[in-house]
């Protein structure tokens, strides 16, 4: 495995790989088993002849909250070990100054899917994601890129960006990886208090029971209220949103034959957790 810290080093390492299948896994570091699963899927996808590139970059531009950026876990040495174990060929680990010019003045805004769910409470977040993912796509020029379904809205927005801008990259969504108790893996889980860590599997349980209630005939409003009530009965927990939406448009379900998404974001004390469940409505 080789590591590039600058764009120039990245170009040099990628030059011999041009023409091969190159699978990119963008990350912000603090890699856990969920990222390892994305990297392994990328390795399988690339095969022996292709290459896997992982980026480890804590993108300041997508943080709407300075405290969240400051407390985001940083484990660069462990991240390199994880990448190596998962069969990554090239890791790109730039600093913010390497990545962005100080007088940068171009923004990338998606204007429909970003207005709801996490986008409604995190202004500028998805513009920051689109900007950095675009830059990574331009720098790496992969044939494929893998994103986790835990950040379902991010995946939907990146698919839309690739479609609307004719970016010649195939986007793959990877299933959520969970702890044995059902909690979706997240770099933020380490910041939960012991009490909130013990309570957090309620997110998954409440989504599953809401999905059963929905298939048994309860309305969208009823199932969302059910999840909210269950989670907010835990001391120190407040839901940011619970919504059942179309899985592609992320807006109201209008066609019952299309896949839907039950999505939740909830504050467990100071830590904001997200999770979701795909459901077929019919
Ligand atoms: O999902 C993430 O970790 C980040 O949003 C991404 C896609 C690496 C962009 O910074």
């Amino acid at each position: 495995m080789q590591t590039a810290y600058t764009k120039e080093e990245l170009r040099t390492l990628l030059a011999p790989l041009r023409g091969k299948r190159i699978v990119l896994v963008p990350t912000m570091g603090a890699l856990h088993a969920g990222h390892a699963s994305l990297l392994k899927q990328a390795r399988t996808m690339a095969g022996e002849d292709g290459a896997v590139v992982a980026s480890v970059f804590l993108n300041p531009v997508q943080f709407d909250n300075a405290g969240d950026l400051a407390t985001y876990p940083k484990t660069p040495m462990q991240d390199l070990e994880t990448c190596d174990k998962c069969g990554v060929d090239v890791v790109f680990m730039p600093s913010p100054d390497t990545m962005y010019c100080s007088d940068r003045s171009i923004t990338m805004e998606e204007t429909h899917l970003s207005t709801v769910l996490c986008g409604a409470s995190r202004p500028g977040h998805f513009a920051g994601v689109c900007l950095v993912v675009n830059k990574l796509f331009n720098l790496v020029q992969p044939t494929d890129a893998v994103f986790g379904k835990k950040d379902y809205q991010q995946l939907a927005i990146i698919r839309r960006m690739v479609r609307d801008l004719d970016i010649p990259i195939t986007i793959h969504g990877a299933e959520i990886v969970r702890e044995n108790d059902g909690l979706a893996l997240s770099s933020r889980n380490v910041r939960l208090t012991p009490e909130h860590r013990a309570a957090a599997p309620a997110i998954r349980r409440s989504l599953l029971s809401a999905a059963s209630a929905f298939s048994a005939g309860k309305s969208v409003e009823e199932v969302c209220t059910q999840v909210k009530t269950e989670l907010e009965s835990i001391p120190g927990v407040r839901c940011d949103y619970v919504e059942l939406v179309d899985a592609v448009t992320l807006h109201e379900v209008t066609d019952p034959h299309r896949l839907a998404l039950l999505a939740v974001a909830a504050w467990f004390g100071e830590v904001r957790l997200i999770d979701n469940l795909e459901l077929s409505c019919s």
Side-chain angles (χ1 to χ4, degrees):
M1 186 180 83
Q2 292 176 295
T3 307
Y5 294 96
T6 65
K7 294 174 186 174
E8 204 41 58
E9 285 169 2
L10 181 69
R11 275 186 206 107
T12 307
L13 293 181
L14 293 181
L17 304 174
R18 293 290 167 221
K20 294 178 188 272
R21 188 168 191 189
I22 298 179
V23 185
L24 171 68
V25 182
T27 81
M28 294 204 299
L31 303 185
H32 49 63
H35 296 107
S37 148
L38 301 182
L39 294 169
K40 287 180 196 155
Q41 286 178 54
R43 181 70 270 164
T44 307
M45 219 176 267
E48 280 185 16
D49 292 341
V52 177
V53 178
S55 59
V56 175
F57 178 60
L58 187 53
N59 176 32
V61 177
Q62 71 188 73
F63 281 80
D64 48 304
N65 173 332
D68 193 21
L69 174 60
T71 54
Y72 201 88
K74 294 157 195 85
T75 56
M77 289 305 138
Q78 279 164 250
D79 295 345
L80 287 174
E81 264 176 48
T82 304
C83 288
D84 199 24
K85 280 193 195 131
C86 295
V88 171
D89 297 292
V90 175
V91 180
F92 181 43
M93 214 183 231
S95 67
D97 290 348
T98 302
M99 202 60 177
Y100 293 110
C101 294
S102 56
D103 60 348
R104 69 179 176 82
S105 51
I106 299 288
T107 56
M108 285 284 318
E109 205 179 345
E110 192 288 327
T111 56
H112 187 59
L113 310 182
S114 312
T115 58
V116 293
L117 307 177
C118 291
S121 50
R122 300 190 65 189
H125 168 66
F126 288 114
V129 170
C130 286
L131 183 66
V132 80
V133 170
N134 240 288
K135 284 167 75 70
L136 291 168
F137 283 175
N138 287 330
L139 289 162
V140 177
Q141 296 173 29
T143 52
D144 303 77
V146 187
F147 294 86
K149 284 192 186 177
K150 188 168 88 64
D151 294 300
Y152 204 97
Q153 184 172 19
Q154 168 173 282
L155 174 63
I157 291 169
I158 288 165
R159 286 192 195 285
R160 178 65 63 96
M161 178 175 83
V162 162
R163 185 199 76 177
D164 285 1
L165 300 183
D166 299 306
I167 300 175
I169 297 172
T170 306
I171 304 299
H172 305 267
E175 294 307 322
I176 300 176
V177 181
R178 298 178 181 282
E179 300 283 5
N180 288 339
D181 60 13
L183 176 63
L185 295 193
S186 162
S187 304
R188 292 185 171 87
N189 291 352
V190 293
R191 292 175 43 215
L192 290 167
T193 62
E195 294 73 23
H196 278 151
R197 172 62 192 85
I203 302 176
R204 171 75 170 162
R205 281 198 306 274
S206 67
L207 288 178
L208 289 172
S209 68
S212 311
F214 189 59
S215 31
K218 282 209 178 169
S219 69
V220 169
E221 290 70 28
E222 282 169 327
V223 297
C224 293
T225 305
Q226 180 178 317
V227 173
K228 187 168 159 39
T229 309
E230 199 172 326
L231 292 180
E232 292 191 342
S233 70
I234 302 167
V237 174
R238 183 177 58 78
C239 287
D240 180 4
Y241 64 77
V242 180
E243 290 194 41
L244 202 165
V245 293
D246 182 285
V248 174
T249 67
L250 305 183
H251 284 69
E252 196 185 333
V253 174
T254 49
D255 180 348
H257 303 292
R258 282 163 56 118
L259 193 64
L261 182 77
L262 181 56
V264 60
W267 287 95
F268 279 61
E270 302 289 300
V271 185
R272 187 174 180 278
L273 299 179
I274 57 171
D275 201 349
N276 64 72
L277 188 62
E278 286 177 321
L279 349 150
S280 55
C281 285
S282 49

